[in-house]
Amino acid sequence: MWPSIIGHSRQIAELKRAVEFARVPNAYIFSGPRGIGKRRVADAFTAALFCAEARSRGMAPCGECASCRKLAGGNHPDRFTIEPEESERGAVQSIKIDPLRELQASLQFKPLEAPAKVAVIDGADRMMDAAANSLLKILEEPPERTHFILITPFPQRLLPTIRSRCRHIAFSPIPDAELAAEIARQREIPEREAVRIARLAGGSMGTAMALDPELVEGVLGRFIALTKKASSADIFETAQAWKDLDPGKILLVFDLLASFYRDLLRVQAVGGESELIHPEAAAMALSCPAEHALRCLSEIDATRLAAETSANKQLMFEQLLFTLSRQ
Ligand SMILES: [Zn+2]
């Protein structure tokens, strides 16, 4: 609920006030980058609206009553959720008109248990035209005691006529320091590692929690050691360790290496050591010529592309590491 959400205090304060003064608009847009907690805020807001105890607890839902438990279990009859579905070919995700029609039918009736109904449309920019028009019709004559929350990273892709009927709340990435403190606490890792994860995640708690700190530190440790002193045996051994990683983790290896060289070039160009993802890049910037760093970056990009098809990942990583370890 609210206390478990990191950041977004201004947005949460506005939502709590709306509940407190019973002035909740018919529809909200929650916009902002993926993974920063918009859906969690929508869930906590719904709970605050539904929970009979919330009013006596500073608009904080109790988490224990039947309403709170049903919401947490995903089976509250007055909360509706619509999300994009995969197409038959599995690639494009969109929201078709059917779920909107079903929603419209359900909204004809009064709330069953809660004082209001809440319909969350997560990924609202993925509504097909027919679905968007159907939503617009609902919003033009909003059913009583019903609130919509449209969640999207791209609010500009919504119909202007939908946007104009919504109260827009914009969410920003969580500041590094705040995110790092939370990661250090939850993951039980040193602050130095947590700051790296927070910056890699670009202010997204969701992305940060999906990163494996041990893998991140392991990859960077090996890489930095190789740039200092690399024998062919070291290169062979590192390539062997990386080639067996899952495809997603192999992509992370490329991201880490590329972000390291970008940091290095940034220090050489403009300084700003305090904002680096990888503080170690500052030391290497003193000895690594910019030309070499640029060559490494393009080699990392080329290898990333090759990795999708390469049959021999061992050789692929060996070649890359050979280039990176030469200065
Ligand atoms: Zn409750």
Side-chain angles (χ1 to χ4, degrees):
M1 298 298 169
W2 300 124
S4 69
I5 295 169
I6 317 303
H8 312 313
S9 49
R10 186 176 49 80
Q11 291 83 349
I12 289 173
E14 174 180 338
L15 293 166
K16 282 185 175 175
R17 271 197 309 275
V19 177
E20 185 177 359
F21 297 109
R23 290 215 178 131
V24 181
N26 286 319
Y28 281 108
I29 291 172
F30 285 5
S31 71
R34 280 178 217 290
I36 58 172
K38 301 185 294 297
R39 178 72 174 261
R40 285 163 70 94
V41 172
D43 287 346
F45 173 65
T46 308
L49 205 56
F50 284 9
C51 174
E53 305 295 318
R55 192 153 285 279
S56 62
R57 300 163 42 93
M59 303 309 124
C62 73
E64 285 163 17
C65 67
S67 168
C68 286
R69 273 185 286 128
K70 282 183 187 175
L71 280 174
N75 56 1
H76 198 296
D78 295 319
R79 196 258 312 263
F80 305 85
T81 309
I82 294 180
E83 289 169 304
E85 280 173 28
E86 294 217 344
S87 71
E88 273 138 41
R89 273 163 284 141
V92 191
Q93 293 192 323
S94 57
I95 297 175
K96 300 204 179 79
I97 190 167
D98 296 348
L100 266 299
R101 283 209 181 108
E102 281 165 33
L103 177 65
Q104 190 168 23
S106 321
L107 295 180
Q108 311 263 325
F109 309 102
K110 287 184 181 156
L112 287 168
E113 296 175 12
K117 295 186 185 193
V118 171
V120 174
I121 305 184
D122 197 351
D125 53 282
R126 301 297 189 91
M127 280 186 290
M128 315 265 285
D129 290 350
N133 282 318
S134 169
L135 175 65
L136 178 60
K137 279 207 192 90
I138 304 176
L139 292 179
E140 278 170 346
E141 285 178 55
E144 265 181 70
R145 289 192 280 160
T146 300
H147 307 286
F148 290 84
I149 304 174
L150 314 184
I151 301 179
T152 174
F154 308 110
Q156 69 280 10
R157 290 187 191 164
L158 299 175
L159 291 177
T161 38
I162 288 183
R163 284 207 304 268
S164 68
R165 288 178 165 78
C166 298
R167 163 83 193 134
H168 188 166
I169 299 189
F171 291 78
S172 313
I174 306 160
D176 288 348
E178 212 172 325
L179 188 57
E182 187 57 25
I183 295 165
R185 193 182 65 79
Q186 290 199 21
R187 287 300 191 54
E188 298 180 348
I189 55 175
E191 203 197 316
R192 185 183 59 79
E193 293 181 19
V195 170
R196 196 197 304 275
I197 298 266
R199 291 185 176 168
L200 274 171
S204 156
M205 189 65 187
T207 308
M209 290 314 282
L211 288 169
D212 173 357
E214 211 173 309
L215 180 70
V216 169
E217 293 301 319
V219 166
L220 283 161
R222 272 178 182 271
F223 160 70
I224 291 167
L226 285 178
T227 59
K228 287 181 179 153
K229 181 179 158 296
S231 66
S232 5
D234 295 334
I235 289 182
F236 178 84
E237 202 183 300
T238 304
Q240 200 163 34
W242 290 356
K243 80 170 166 53
D244 292 328
L245 294 170
D246 303 339
K249 289 182 176 169
I250 286 184
L251 287 181
L252 176 64
V253 171
F254 293 128
D255 285 346
L256 287 170
L257 298 176
S259 60
F260 193 94
Y261 283 102
R262 279 197 296 271
D263 269 4
L264 189 153
L265 287 165
R266 178 185 165 150
V267 177
Q268 289 180 341
V270 295
E273 294 176 22
S274 61
E275 286 161 38
L276 298 178
I277 299 174
H278 311 291
E280 302 90 339
M284 209 192 290
L286 300 174
S287 60
C288 172
E291 281 161 30
H292 178 69
L294 286 168
R295 180 148 168 257
C296 290
L297 266 178
S298 70
E299 196 80 3
I300 293 164
D301 268 354
T303 312
R304 185 203 300 265
L305 284 175
E308 287 171 20
T309 51
S310 174
N312 193 338
K313 291 202 170 58
Q314 170 80 27
L315 193 62
M316 180 192 85
F317 273 126
E318 280 179 30
Q319 280 167 347
L320 175 64
L321 288 167
F322 185 70
T323 306
L324 302 190
S325 63
R326 267 191 315 181
Q327 293 206 6

